[in-house]
Amino acid sequence: MKTSKRLEGIGEYYFSQKLREIDELNKAGKSIINLGIGSPDLPPHPDVIKTLQEEAAKPTVHAYQSYKGSPVLRKAMSDWYKGWYNVDLNPDTEILPLIGSKEGIMHICMTYLDKGDEVLVPNPGYPTYRSAVKLACGKCVEYKLKEKNNYEPDFDALEKKNLKKVKLMFVNYPQMPTGQLPTKELFEKLVAFGNKHGILIIHDNPYSFILNEAPMSLLSIEGAKDCVVELNSLSKSHNMAGWRMGMLCGAKERIEEVIRFKSNMDSGMFLPLQLAAAKALSLGKEWQDEVNKVYRERREKVFELLKLLKCKFSKEQAGMFVWAKIPAAYKDGYALSDEVLYKTNVFVTPGGIFGDAGDKYIRVSLCAPVSKFEDAIERIKNQKSKS
Ligand SMILES: Cc1ncc(COP(=O)(O)O)c(C=O)c1O
């Protein structure tokens, strides 16, 4: 069957391909330590599970739910934004619960893009921005994020571009894959840029609680609601990646526009999931501290592993990965990643999958227990002593 034109140039997602290869290697008896993907391996808070269990046992919760999400969940999201980010959001009109923030990226592209419309996407950046733009028949215009500029967009270079056809811009801080934290100045520049050029800035913010003491929302900047929507997620902050629980926040008009598309795609979320997510959002700082204590300990091991590989990295990164520059002896991160995989059965992600600006880097996930990192370190040490 011939697939649609919109699928041309859209490959299978890198990780689904790579996980198949890792599966084959495992079947062949290698026990691969996978330090690639950012899927939290720890469970949510026990009260969250308890709420899901109790709610799911009720006879009245199994019907279709509202397209806009349960009022209880929207209120919890609004309180969470006020409590952590000091952002006021009307729970009835300025929040749309999502089945994970990834679907929001696609919905936004389908809501706003026509053929030929342009979108600024970060390089390196989350590959889904690029594929969603292409699937919606838009055109990606990459902006490079460079280490020497603290992985911030070069606004002077952007101003020199012809921005007439640019409708959207994807940004993401703490940045994935580089781990770069935002500053208030950067956020102010983004809002000024969006307002000046009539570009809708989509801030994708799933990592603000991981190894970061000061979570920030782009919506906290004055004038932001005129040109910003923000995606957020419980996947990383609450160890709920498989639950598929996210949100879109922004001006009432933007939320209504996206609902016009989304309400044709799905029919709401299981109510007990929504109520359990509301419970998760009510957890205090002790929860975040507990999660971060685990990641901090793991990160020390990753630093050790990266030193063995002679990679260079900043210790000031946020999010659940460490981004590191490879030694000059390797052509690119793919070469280093393959060498580590085939010689030591440890998988780390080549930075090039996030765009060519990531070619000289690798990314190591913190989503494995300390014992796995210790194992990986041992394997690399053994291999080094042999060569
Ligand atoms: C930058 C970025 N945005 C969005 C997502 C999607 O998260 P969710 O699980 O909420 O769909 C991810 C997941 O890895 C991510 O890294």
Side-chain angles (χ1 to χ4, degrees):
M1 190 69 143
K2 184 156 170 34
T3 54
S4 66
K5 281 218 167 18
R6 87 173 53 80
L7 267 186
E8 279 169 17
I10 306 278
E12 187 182 352
Y13 194 56
Y14 171 83
F15 277 115
S16 73
Q17 233 168 344
K18 202 69 195 178
L19 288 178
R20 232 182 4 251
E21 188 187 339
I22 290 175
D23 219 30
E24 290 303 316
L25 289 168
N26 279 332
K27 277 190 200 140
K30 322 263 176 198
S31 92
I32 307 293
I33 298 178
N34 186 348
L35 306 180
I37 210 154
S39 178
D41 53 317
L42 295 169
H45 192 285
D47 290 353
V48 177
I49 309 280
K50 191 162 157 250
T51 307
L52 176 66
Q53 285 170 332
E54 285 173 3
E55 293 297 332
K58 294 180 181 167
T60 52
V61 295
H62 303 279
Y64 286 122
Q65 293 298 312
S66 149
Y67 294 111
K68 298 180 22 179
S70 134
V72 174
L73 178 58
R74 279 186 275 112
K75 169 81 169 55
M77 288 172 166
S78 165
D79 290 347
W80 188 64
Y81 254 80
K82 183 67 188 167
W84 287 96
Y85 300 118
N86 196 23
V87 169
D88 289 299
L89 293 171
N90 182 329
D92 293 328
T93 56
E94 296 183 320
I95 296 178
L96 175 62
L98 297 172
I99 306 172
S101 61
K102 189 172 181 179
E103 71 149 7
I105 296 170
M106 191 69 222
H107 293 341
I108 289 166
C109 289
M110 292 300 280
T111 301
Y112 294 109
L113 298 180
D114 283 315
K115 196 164 189 295
D117 285 340
E118 295 181 358
V119 182
L120 293 168
V121 293
N123 177 4
Y126 184 44
T128 299
Y129 308 142
R130 265 167 269 165
S131 43
V133 169
K134 286 187 202 156
L135 283 168
C137 299
K139 185 173 163 213
C140 293
V141 178
E142 289 187 350
Y143 63 93
K144 290 251 158 85
L145 300 177
K146 296 187 182 146
E147 193 171 345
K148 67 173 174 64
N149 297 336
N150 296 325
Y151 296 112
E152 295 186 357
D154 178 343
F155 288 96
D156 292 336
L158 282 177
E159 290 288 352
K160 287 190 193 122
K161 283 185 191 281
N162 180 353
L163 298 171
K164 282 215 172 64
K165 290 189 180 161
V166 174
K167 269 188 107 172
L168 311 176
M169 177 184 194
F170 280 99
V171 293
N172 153 236
Y173 292 93
Q175 216 265 340
M176 201 294 295
T178 64
Q180 180 65 49
L181 279 160
T183 60
K184 183 146 191 262
E185 292 69 37
L186 167 65
F187 274 7
E188 283 168 350
K189 281 187 203 164
L190 282 168
V191 170
F193 180 76
N195 275 327
K196 176 175 171 193
H197 296 284
I199 293 173
L200 181 64
I201 311 278
I202 301 136
H203 184 228
D204 183 22
N205 197 13
Y207 293 104
S208 62
F209 289 88
I210 310 297
L211 295 173
N212 176 23
E213 283 302 306
M216 269 174 83
S217 162
L218 187 52
L219 288 168
S220 66
I221 303 299
E222 210 184 314
K225 276 190 199 162
D226 295 334
C227 68
V228 170
V229 290
E230 186 161 276
L231 291 161
N232 218 318
S233 169
L234 278 70
S235 292
K236 331 281 172 174
S237 55
H238 295 82
N239 292 338
M240 291 167 72
W243 292 51
R244 314 308 303 131
M245 194 54 72
M247 68 201 87
L248 176 69
C249 306
K252 174 176 180 278
E253 296 76 12
R254 301 294 85 72
I255 298 295
E256 282 169 359
E257 287 151 4
V258 175
I259 288 180
R260 274 172 62 196
F261 180 79
K262 181 173 154 61
S263 58
N264 285 290
M265 292 297 300
D266 67 74
S267 302
M269 279 181 278
F270 186 39
L271 183 61
L273 277 179
Q274 299 192 55
L275 300 175
K279 179 79 206 170
L281 292 168
S282 74
L283 296 170
K285 187 160 185 321
E286 324 77 68
W287 162 256
Q288 301 300 343
D289 288 347
E290 209 180 295
V291 170
N292 280 316
K293 185 166 171 277
V294 175
Y295 285 127
R296 210 163 282 121
E297 198 187 337
R298 293 173 175 185
R299 190 167 62 171
E300 286 305 316
K301 295 288 170 194
V302 172
F303 290 161
E304 205 180 309
L305 184 150
L306 287 167
K307 278 185 200 151
L308 274 176
L309 295 175
K310 299 201 165 37
C311 291
K312 294 221 159 53
F313 51 87
S314 153
K315 289 192 168 181
E316 306 302 313
Q317 301 184 34
M320 50 179 43
F321 306 97
V322 181
W323 180 245
K325 185 144 195 193
I326 60 168
Y330 293 90
K331 179 171 153 272
D332 53 28
Y334 292 98
L336 176 56
S337 168
D338 280 346
E339 182 179 297
V340 176
L341 178 61
Y342 301 130
K343 289 196 174 159
T344 71
N345 295 329
V346 174
F347 175 64
V348 297
T349 305
I353 73 159
F354 305 105
D356 59 9
D359 273 347
K360 300 286 179 192
Y361 296 82
I362 54 169
R363 189 197 74 170
V364 184
S365 163
L366 302 179
C367 299
V370 163
S371 61
K372 285 267 180 223
F373 292 109
E374 287 172 344
D375 242 10
I377 289 168
E378 233 15 69
R379 289 183 190 190
I380 294 167
K381 272 189 189 159
N382 285 341
Q383 196 272 325
K384 286 216 175 280
S385 67
K386 273 192 242 153
S387 58

